[in-house]
Amino acid sequence: MLRRRARPGREAAGGDPLDAAQERRVRAVLALGGVPQADLPDGVQQVRLRLLERTASGREAPRDVSAWAAVVASNLAMDWHRARRRQDRLGERLAALRPPEHTAGGEDTRLLSLAVARGLDELPDAQRQVVVLRFYADLPVRSIAEQLGVPEGTVKSRLHTAVRALRDRLHQDEVV
């Protein structure tokens, strides 16, 4: 098993290439990309493995490991969708990740989250990927473009089209 608990000084000595914050970000990107809860540890391991393979092959380490890991996680989520043919709904998985809310607006927030998740699930892979990277992984457009190897204008266009589709979906479902 590749996963080991991080101990002080291990990163520099060839230990875990992802710190705790990077691992949480990778998990979030995988979950929001549609990977089921049970498969999240495997997805995190795949990101670690790809980073270790990159280092072992002598290639230069990514300038921004966190951004690189988020994009790799996003690509893994897309691969998972292709392999599984979207058997499970993203909305159910996302709802399972949220803790139950006990406030008066909790039900409204839950319904909005489910509606957004269903809207994300209906987007084409490339649009879903940039939405997750921009709004959930909080990567700037420039970083997304660099990591995906596409022009910034392409990222902006995909974001614009995806946000418009999500907004239309939420209005159509009368959620907002």
Side-chain angles (χ1 to χ4, degrees), residues 126-141:
Q127 288 178 10
R128 182 178 51 252
Q129 181 179 35
V130 296
V131 167
V132 169
L133 291 172
R134 177 67 188 105
F135 298 113
Y136 293 98
D138 200 27
L139 295 179
V141 170

Side-chain angles (χ1 to χ4, degrees), residues 18-73:
L18 297 177
D19 65 28
Q22 292 165 336
E23 181 176 339
R24 283 191 303 274
R25 185 182 224 183
V26 165
R27 281 180 173 278
V29 169
L30 288 168
L32 290 164
V35 176
Q37 181 79 20
D39 292 340
L40 293 180
D42 289 338
V44 172
Q45 291 297 62
Q46 284 294 318
V47 172
R48 276 193 178 96
L49 179 61
R50 290 184 186 185
L51 185 55
L52 290 170
E53 287 173 338
R54 179 184 176 108
T55 304
S57 70
R59 286 184 284 170
E60 187 176 314
R63 222 175 343 143
D64 183 351
V65 172
S66 187
W68 180 89
V71 170
V72 170

Side-chain angles (χ1 to χ4, degrees), residues 16-158:
D16 194 341
L18 297 177
D19 65 28
Q22 292 165 336
E23 181 176 339
R24 283 191 303 274
R25 185 182 224 183
V26 165
R27 281 180 173 278
V29 169
L30 288 168
L32 290 164
V35 176
Q37 181 79 20
D39 292 340
L40 293 180
D42 289 338
V44 172
Q45 291 297 62
Q46 284 294 318
V47 172
R48 276 193 178 96
L49 179 61
R50 290 184 186 185
L51 185 55
L52 290 170
E53 287 173 338
R54 179 184 176 108
T55 304
S57 70
R59 286 184 284 170
E60 187 176 314
R63 222 175 343 143
D64 183 351
V65 172
S66 187
W68 180 89
V71 170
V72 170
S74 179
N75 287 335
L76 286 171
M78 287 176 51
D79 292 345
W80 183 90
H81 273 286
R82 288 184 189 112
R84 300 291 179 126
R85 303 283 189 231
R86 298 182 187 181
Q87 294 174 357
D88 300 324
R89 299 288 304 173
L90 178 62
E92 294 164 2
R93 292 189 300 271
L94 184 60
L97 293 176
R98 293 185 56 86
E101 303 213 13
H102 301 289
T103 62
E107 185 63 22
D108 290 341
T109 302
R110 185 170 135 13
L111 290 174
L112 181 59
S113 295
L114 285 170
V116 169
R118 286 188 183 111
L120 280 171
D121 199 36
E122 293 174 359
L123 291 175
D125 290 340
Q127 288 178 10
R128 182 178 51 252
Q129 181 179 35
V130 296
V131 167
V132 169
L133 291 172
R134 177 67 188 105
F135 298 113
Y136 293 98
D138 200 27
L139 295 179
V141 170
R142 174 174 283 147
S143 182
I144 295 169
E146 288 173 2
Q147 296 294 327
L148 294 179
V150 298
E152 285 183 48
T154 300
V155 173
K156 290 177 183 179
S157 174
R158 288 176 185 171

